[in-house]
Amino acid sequence: MKKLTSSLLLSGLLALSISAPAAQVAKVKGKSILIDTEGEDLREGDVLFVIDISGQKKAIVKITKVRGTKAIARVGKGAPQVGMSLERRGQNPSPAPQQQAAAPAPRQQRSSLFTPTGPMERRWGGLLGIGFDTLNADEKDANGVKTGTTVSTTGMSFSLLGLYDHKLFNNIWFRGLFGAEQFKTSGSASSGSRSVDITYLSAGAIGRYVFANSQFQPWVGGGFVLLFPLSKSSNLLDSASITNTYSMLFTGGMDWKISERMYVPLSLEYGLLPKSDSVEANWIQVRGGLAIPF
């Protein structure tokens, strides 16, 4: 009687274990398998062993998508077959060789701005600028003799420039600028109002260090610009003294990438013109525009 009871109990336990839900391989296609979850709570990222009927582990898979009672998994290694069951693994397996080989591709894509053959290696576009100009000069009388008074003048000006960006090294970029720039100030002196109004043809070069490859790409740089007067008018400076000159540039900004084929260059620039015995001048320019790679 005891033997009969034990046999019935053992048979019942076996029946329960056989009838317990277990996920099974429903379809195999290359390195992907379709799984019938059979009620098991499977989630994306779960790592499972594929077990044959004898209990031997035949493959390792990782769940990539779950929808209802079906799941899709990527085969890490091994050869699963339809009908095999699945068992959870305590830790994630090493990535499959195919995954390891493919990993560098997205890194290359993310850093394409700073690679020699990247699609953003060269760019061209245009910039509009608003300048805040300052000029201090010694006042002179009608005979050109200094009166001992310094006249301070300030004003606002505008610029229109074309730009050319070219990558030289990993994060180092060259920016060329060419166009028209105003320098315009006014102020009061003991003998009346004084003003300076000059329009220059300008050609400049800036070296830039770009910090990051992202949608917003901050940078700092420095350079110079050559200035050739196209028109000039002043009752503060001698007209003959307004000749070709240059300005040192200290600048920073950000390139705002609004699409794969277009970006907005923004910059804040401080320009320092050569100082003479009687005149010193500088400007602050805020520039913005539009550019595309080519």
Side-chain angles (χ1 to χ4, degrees), residues 198-217:
I198 309 170
T199 299
Y200 290 105
L201 177 67
S202 68
I206 297 173
R208 302 188 302 136
Y209 181 87
V210 181
F211 289 99
N213 176 22
S214 59
Q215 183 180 6
F216 301 99
Q217 299 162 3

Side-chain angles (χ1 to χ4, degrees), residues 102-115 118-120 212-215 217 257 260:
R107 288 198 298 269
Q108 177 69 17
Q109 184 178 4
R110 288 194 298 269
S111 61
S112 61
L113 179 62
F114 303 125
T115 55
M120 300 287 280
N213 176 22
S214 59
Q215 183 180 6
Q217 299 162 3
K257 189 176 179 182
E260 289 300 321

Side-chain angles (χ1 to χ4, degrees), residues 224-256:
F224 66 92
V225 59
L226 302 178
L227 301 168
F228 308 94
L230 297 175
S231 65
K232 52 188 177 181
S233 173
S234 176
N235 60 1
L236 176 61
L237 304 178
D238 293 333
S239 180
S241 69
I242 304 175
T243 59
N244 299 341
T245 186
Y246 68 92
S247 175
M248 300 302 298
L249 303 178
F250 306 91
T251 180
M254 177 180 66
D255 292 341
W256 175 20

